[in-house]
């Protein structure tokens, strides 16, 4: 049985990707000296080293990695060892050019960057298994080894491949899902546009078509892609489990919805020993700490609530955005501690030492080009000391106040062509509803629509276009048993094959919401609608509907626009609970007003705190840890439910906590 935490690491994880192969070996001595100065506890190595480790098929050079691991071990730094399978070497493609992936347009990508992989290629699978086996044998019992880091960020920069090998693989996946062609034809609705299949061989990946390609075919291909890549992860994982029993295996996720779209992380989260995540701020976005919090909550949720680990973020600017803004003084520490507050047992970076050459030479690092006489280095050393004083937090858990439902498959389905309006955007709604909860200082988990929701007093559904019948029943039961549900428009519409549920919209959610939708009424680009009713007047845009109550009570009604006179926001009392429905796009205070009603129905109270003072708690065997992260420039005072010790300053506190501007405080209660 593998562990769920890096072996031999008895503190929070602090460090980064370390690529010493880019430097002469004398530099390594300076690296480890500075790592110790900064309080680094673990580094990730070997992620991109395949070409150096296996120089031609079956010809190996492990000497440098042997020396590196020994050096790190002598210096007490734990190792997260990569399998380098994200970058097959040039010799591999010389032998197997067919393993380069093909895009939807039929164009084959070339060697020269990274991640050029057809995950259905038998040659790739075999070569990846082989180098993994070599590493497992050689380092499986090395004393420095704490964690295996398989591949790197599966799912980006390309995930799907449309080549012939992938086509064959897709057909096999379909044959396992639909035992007969009859079933497949029904599931894909091939009666539409005459797409009936008589032979399995005729089925292809959804390559470029003159007009919209069959949506059920596209949706299944997206599922196939996530599943196929996951099989490749599992193959490497199983080799490592066999050769290095007890050493946990991870692969770094990118749960931020803006960073990887193609993996169903609910399925992936079950397969890793430790969930790890990479998160990069959208530098120019306002309040990007909200997106950070959302990604951290989503990561904890795919980890099933267990502690997880932030494996990469940046000390300062990245190099791949249009304008790579610096982080403000203290921002790196706030970012790091915000991840820790939400369940990460450490904070790691890309990367340790800035590269002199290659595509990422303008990316920030823990040790920047400017060297140690730099703001970033001083902040790196200070952060190491802060994390060093938070060791007790390790293993404690976050208890959420509410859940937000999220389903990658529903997102994939909604993003396909020809929806009723381009304004329908699942990610946009998820961001908006998450921000509304964040602004109320509610801590939320994300949950799968078919999961057990009974522990949450409040469940929010910002976007669930694809809702299975089972999910609909689950939500109905949840409300009957006393839960409070709030659902946004364009949810409950189609089944798992992107077919409209029989009868009026929103098929899967009609019963629980107590209403039907007679017609969708999308708004013009610049149109706004007024909602009047029991409370302040609200403004919506983007979308409206002809809502027909069938048990639900109208709470706000459209005063104008195409749906004038129809209910706009409704509340349905059902069993011991109630279900709210919001049929237009509300933002800011308008959304807050409506969700505030649902929050009150759920019996939740929300603290009076400035909007950007983030307060999150973790609970462990030895007590509670209250994190207060002040993203504003002004000092803030946070009420405390008792007394305790502020861990970063070692000061006793009681009754309240003063948090200087742009600073974090952590109280052990
Ligand atoms: C990550 C990746 C790293 C590095 C980093 C730059 O997505 O895993 O290897 O490229 O981005 O921000
Ligand atoms: Zn392929």
């Amino acid at each position: 049985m593998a562990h769920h935490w890096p072996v031999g690491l008895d503190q929070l994880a602090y460090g980064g990707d370390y690529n010493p192969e880019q430097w002469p070996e004398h530099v390594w001595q300076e690296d480890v000296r500075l790592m110790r100065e900064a309080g680094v506890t673990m580094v990730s190595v070997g992620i991109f080293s395949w070409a150096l480790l296996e120089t031609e098929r079956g010809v190996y050079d492990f000497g440098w990695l042997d020396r590196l691991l020994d050096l790190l071990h002598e210096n007490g730094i734990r190792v997260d060892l990569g399998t380098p399978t994200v970058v097959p070497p040039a010799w591999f493609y010389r032998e197997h050019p067919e393993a380069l992936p093909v895009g939807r347009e039929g164009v084959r990508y070339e060697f020269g960057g990274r991640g050029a992989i057809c995950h259905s290629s038998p040659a790739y699978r075999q070569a990846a298994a082989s180098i993994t086996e070599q590493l497992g044998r050689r380092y499986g019992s090395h004393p420095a080894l704490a964690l295996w880091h398989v591949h790197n960020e599966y799912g980006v920069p390309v995930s799907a491949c449309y080549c012939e090998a992938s086509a064959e693989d897709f057909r096999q996946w379909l044959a396992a899902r639909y035992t007969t062609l009859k079933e497949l034809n029904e599931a894909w609705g091939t009666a539409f546009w005459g797409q009936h299949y008589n032979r399995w061989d005729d089925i292809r990946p959804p390559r470029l078509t003159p007009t919209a390609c069959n949506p059920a075919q596209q949706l299944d291909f997206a599922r196939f892609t996530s599943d196929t890549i996951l099989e490749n992860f599992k193959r490497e994982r199983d080799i490592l489990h066999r050769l290095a029993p007890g050493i946990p295996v991870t692969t770094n996720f990118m749960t931020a919805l803006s960073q990887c779209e193609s993996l169903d992380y609910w399925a992936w989260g079950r397969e890793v020993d430790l969930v790890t995540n990479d998160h990069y701020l959208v530098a120019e976005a306002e309040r990007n700490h909200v997106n950070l919090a959302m990604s951290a909550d989503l990561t904890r949720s795919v980890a099933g609530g267990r502690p997880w680990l932030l494996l990469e973020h940046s000390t300062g600017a990245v190099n791949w955005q249009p304008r790579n803004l610096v982080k403000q003084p203290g921002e790196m520490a706030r970012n790091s501690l915000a991840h820790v507050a939400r369940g990460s047992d450490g904070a790691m970076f890309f990367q340790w030492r800035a590269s002199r050459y290659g595509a990422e030479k303008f990316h920030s690092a823990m040790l920047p080009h400017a060297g140690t006489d730099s703001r970033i280095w001083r902040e790196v050393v200070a952060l190491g000391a802060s994390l060093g004083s938070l060791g007790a937090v390790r293993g404690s858990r976050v208890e959420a106040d509410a859940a937000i439902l999220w389903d990658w498959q529903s997102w994939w389905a909604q993003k396909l062509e020809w929806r009723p309006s381009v304004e329908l955007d699942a990610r946009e709604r998820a961001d908006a509803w998450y921000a509304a909860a964040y602004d109320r200082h509610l801590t939320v988990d994300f949950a799968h629509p078919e999961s057990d929701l009974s522990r949450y007093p409040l469940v929010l559904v910002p976007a669930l276009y694809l809702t299975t019948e089972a999910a609909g029943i689950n939500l109905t039961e949840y409300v009957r048993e006393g839960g409070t549900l709030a659902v946004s428009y364009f949810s409950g519409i189609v089944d798992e094959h992107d077919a409209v549920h029989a009868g009026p919209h929103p098929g899967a959610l009609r019963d629980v919401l107590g209403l039907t939708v007679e017609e969708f009424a999308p708004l013009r680009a610049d149109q706004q609608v007024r909602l009047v009713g029991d409370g302040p007047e609200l403004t919506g845009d983007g979308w409206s509907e002809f809502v027909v109550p069938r048990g639900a009570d109208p709470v706000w009604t459209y005063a104008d626009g195409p749906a004038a006179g129809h209910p706009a926001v409704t509340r349905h009392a059902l069993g011991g609970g109630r279900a709210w429905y919001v049929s237009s796009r509300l933002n800011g205070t308008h959304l807050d007003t409506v969700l505030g009603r649902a929050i009150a129905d759920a019996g939740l109270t929300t603290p009076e705190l400035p909007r950007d003072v983030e307060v999150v708690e973790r609970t462990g065997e030895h007590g509670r840890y209250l994190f207060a992260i002040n993203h504003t420039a002004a000092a803030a005072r946070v009420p405390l439910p008792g007394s305790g010790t502020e861990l970063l300053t070692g000061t006793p506190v009681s009754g309240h906590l003063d948090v200087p501007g742009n600073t974090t405080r952590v109280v052990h209660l």
Side-chain angles (χ1 to χ4, degrees):
M1 182 55 190
H3 290 82
H4 298 287
W5 180 245
V7 171
L9 181 59
D10 50 15
Q11 305 152 68
L12 295 181
Y14 185 51
D17 282 22
Y18 179 35
N19 297 304
E21 61 271 42
Q22 298 172 13
W23 298 90
E25 288 197 25
H26 67 86
V27 176
W28 302 3
Q29 301 295 333
E30 185 189 49
D31 284 331
V32 290
R33 179 174 61 75
L34 292 175
M35 284 177 191
R36 293 174 58 134
E37 187 178 318
V40 164
T41 60
M42 185 167 79
V43 290
S44 305
V45 304
I47 299 170
F48 302 107
S49 305
W50 194 342
L52 294 172
L53 294 171
E54 188 176 8
T55 52
E56 281 288 341
R57 174 176 299 279
V59 180
Y60 301 103
D61 175 9
F62 289 117
W64 67 273
L65 190 53
D66 292 351
R67 293 192 291 284
L68 180 73
L69 262 54
D70 291 347
L71 178 68
L72 290 166
H73 181 60
E74 282 155 24
N75 284 274
I77 296 163
R78 309 298 294 150
V79 169
D80 169 31
L81 182 56
T83 68
T85 53
V86 68
V87 280
W91 61 255
F92 170 77
Y93 294 111
R94 185 204 310 140
E95 293 177 5
H96 292 287
E98 81 288 355
L100 289 162
V102 174
R104 197 175 174 198
E105 307 75 13
V107 177
R108 205 176 274 283
Y109 293 99
E110 268 296 343
F111 177 77
R114 76 183 204 203
I117 293 160
C118 165
H119 281 280
S120 292
S121 156
Y124 169 74
R125 289 177 181 168
Q126 191 275 325
S130 157
I131 186 67
T132 300
E133 176 105 17
Q134 292 293 328
L135 288 164
R137 280 187 198 293
R138 189 160 190 104
Y139 300 110
S141 51
H142 194 285
L145 181 66
L147 175 67
W148 290 108
H149 179 303
V150 168
H151 203 90
N152 190 64
E153 292 180 344
Y154 281 110
V156 294
V158 289
S159 52
C161 174
Y162 296 78
C163 78
E164 279 308 310
S166 299
E168 181 49 36
D169 217 12
F170 183 39
R171 288 188 283 269
Q172 286 181 17
W173 183 91
L174 290 168
R177 183 174 172 89
Y178 308 104
T179 19
T180 63
L181 273 177
K182 182 169 177 291
E183 271 180 70
L184 178 138
N185 278 305
E186 275 169 20
W188 283 14
T190 53
F192 181 82
W193 282 356
Q195 292 172 17
H196 196 90
Y197 292 102
N198 298 325
R199 286 180 49 170
W200 289 99
D201 287 359
D202 291 336
I203 302 173
R204 304 269 189 279
R207 293 182 179 140
L208 203 60
T209 46
T211 183
C213 179
N214 184 322
Q217 179 186 0
Q218 294 194 66
L219 182 55
D220 269 348
F221 190 65
R223 292 180 175 124
F224 155 79
T225 297
S226 180
D227 284 2
T228 300
I229 303 177
L230 182 56
E231 285 308 310
N232 284 357
F233 165 74
K234 283 157 69 177
R235 194 171 304 106
E236 291 193 35
R237 178 200 64 191
D238 292 349
I239 292 169
L240 297 169
H241 278 169
R242 172 165 54 80
L243 295 173
I247 303 290
V249 179
T250 192
T251 181
N252 44 345
F253 295 170
M254 295 192 96
T255 62
L257 303 182
S258 52
Q259 281 161 15
C260 176
E261 304 188 351
S262 56
L263 303 186
D264 181 350
Y265 284 124
W266 290 127
W268 281 74
R270 292 192 287 270
E271 301 296 342
V272 295
D273 298 321
L274 170 69
V275 165
T276 57
N277 195 50
D278 298 350
H279 183 267
Y280 290 93
L281 296 176
V282 179
E284 288 183 82
E286 269 182 57
R287 302 184 75 218
N288 51 21
H289 52 271
V290 181
N291 175 275
L292 182 157
M294 180 171 170
S295 165
D297 286 343
L298 194 46
T299 308
R300 181 185 66 252
S301 304
V302 301
R306 283 184 298 279
W308 54 280
L309 176 59
L310 176 73
L311 212 52
E312 289 182 29
H313 70 315
S314 71
T315 58
V318 299
N319 64 299
W320 43 267
Q321 296 183 11
R323 290 166 206 83
N324 296 292
L325 310 187
V326 297
K327 290 196 178 180
Q328 295 301 308
E331 191 175 356
M332 175 188 77
R334 288 201 312 280
N335 292 163
S336 301
L337 295 171
H339 284 289
V340 175
R342 291 174 189 274
S344 174
D345 275 350
M348 312 228 342
F349 293 91
F350 177 85
Q351 62 175 329
W352 163 252
R353 182 189 278 271
S355 301
R356 280 191 49 224
Y357 46 81
E360 298 185 318
K361 55 186 166 294
F362 299 123
H363 195 291
S364 61
M366 297 175 82
L367 183 56
H369 292 299
T372 53
D373 186 13
S374 62
R375 169 174 81 105
I376 284 186
W377 176 254
R378 285 185 282 276
E379 292 195 20
V380 162
V381 173
L383 177 59
S386 295
L387 291 172
S389 62
L390 295 179
V393 167
R394 194 161 69 82
S396 60
R397 294 197 180 206
V398 175
E399 296 290 336
D401 303 305
I404 295 187
L405 299 193
W406 179 254
D407 179 13
W408 275 270
Q409 299 194 16
S410 175
W411 185 31
W412 299 338
Q414 185 174 333
K415 280 190 302 178
L416 298 172
E417 303 92 333
W418 293 1
R419 299 321 184 199
S421 169
V422 295
E423 303 295 335
L424 293 167
D425 179 341
R427 200 180 106 198
E428 183 276 332
R429 278 298 83 187
D431 285 348
W433 282 46
Y434 180 87
Y438 181 98
D439 290 354
R440 287 262 182 165
H441 299 93
L442 290 176
T443 302
V444 301
D445 284 341
F446 286 84
H448 187 273
E450 292 179 23
S451 64
D452 177 10
L453 302 167
S454 56
R455 85 186 110 123
Y456 302 108
L458 176 66
V459 171
L460 306 176
V461 186
L464 198 61
Y465 163 68
L466 184 163
T467 307
T468 60
E469 208 182 305
I473 293 170
N474 190 38
L475 294 180
T476 308
E477 283 312 301
Y478 165 74
V479 173
R480 278 191 196 286
E481 294 298 316
T484 299
L485 182 71
V487 177
S488 182
Y489 56 86
F490 210 54
S491 297
I493 307 299
V494 297
D495 67 11
E496 55 269 47
H497 305 301
D498 196 46
V500 171
H501 285 288
H505 303 310
L509 298 176
R510 279 191 305 251
D511 291 349
V512 66
L513 296 174
L515 54 82
T516 57
V517 172
E518 188 184 318
E519 266 185 73
F520 297 141
L523 302 178
R524 296 170 190 278
D526 54 359
Q527 192 176 4
Q528 293 193 330
V529 285
R530 292 189 303 118
L531 282 55
V532 295
D534 175 16
E537 181 173 315
L538 307 174
T539 307
D541 63 11
W543 187 257
S544 68
E545 290 174 345
F546 295 7
V547 173
V548 181
R550 304 198 187 269
D553 299 313
V555 185
W556 275 270
T557 301
Y558 288 107
D560 55 16
H566 281 274
V569 176
T570 61
R571 179 181 184 275
H572 184 215
L574 178 68
R578 63 304 285 164
W580 288 82
Y581 184 59
V582 185
S583 71
S584 184
R585 188 167 67 194
L586 307 182
N587 278 312
T589 56
H590 304 273
L591 181 58
D592 180 73
T593 298
V594 174
L595 293 185
R597 299 284 293 272
I599 290 168
D601 267 350
L604 291 168
T605 48
T606 54
E608 289 295 324
L609 285 170
R611 186 169 79 146
D612 288 313
V613 176
E614 188 173 332
V615 178
V616 190
E617 270 191 39
R618 293 181 62 163
T619 307
E621 273 170 38
H622 306 293
R624 293 156 70 185
Y625 304 91
L626 181 142
F627 287 72
I629 306 154
N630 187 352
H631 299 286
T632 76
R637 176 162 285 196
V638 174
L640 286 181
S643 56
T645 309
E646 201 293 310
L647 297 175
L648 300 177
T649 55
T651 328
V653 284
S654 183
H656 68 263
L657 171 70
D658 287 317
V659 190
N662 298 323
T663 300
T664 302
R665 292 285 180 258
V666 185
V667 180
H668 182 193
L669 289 160

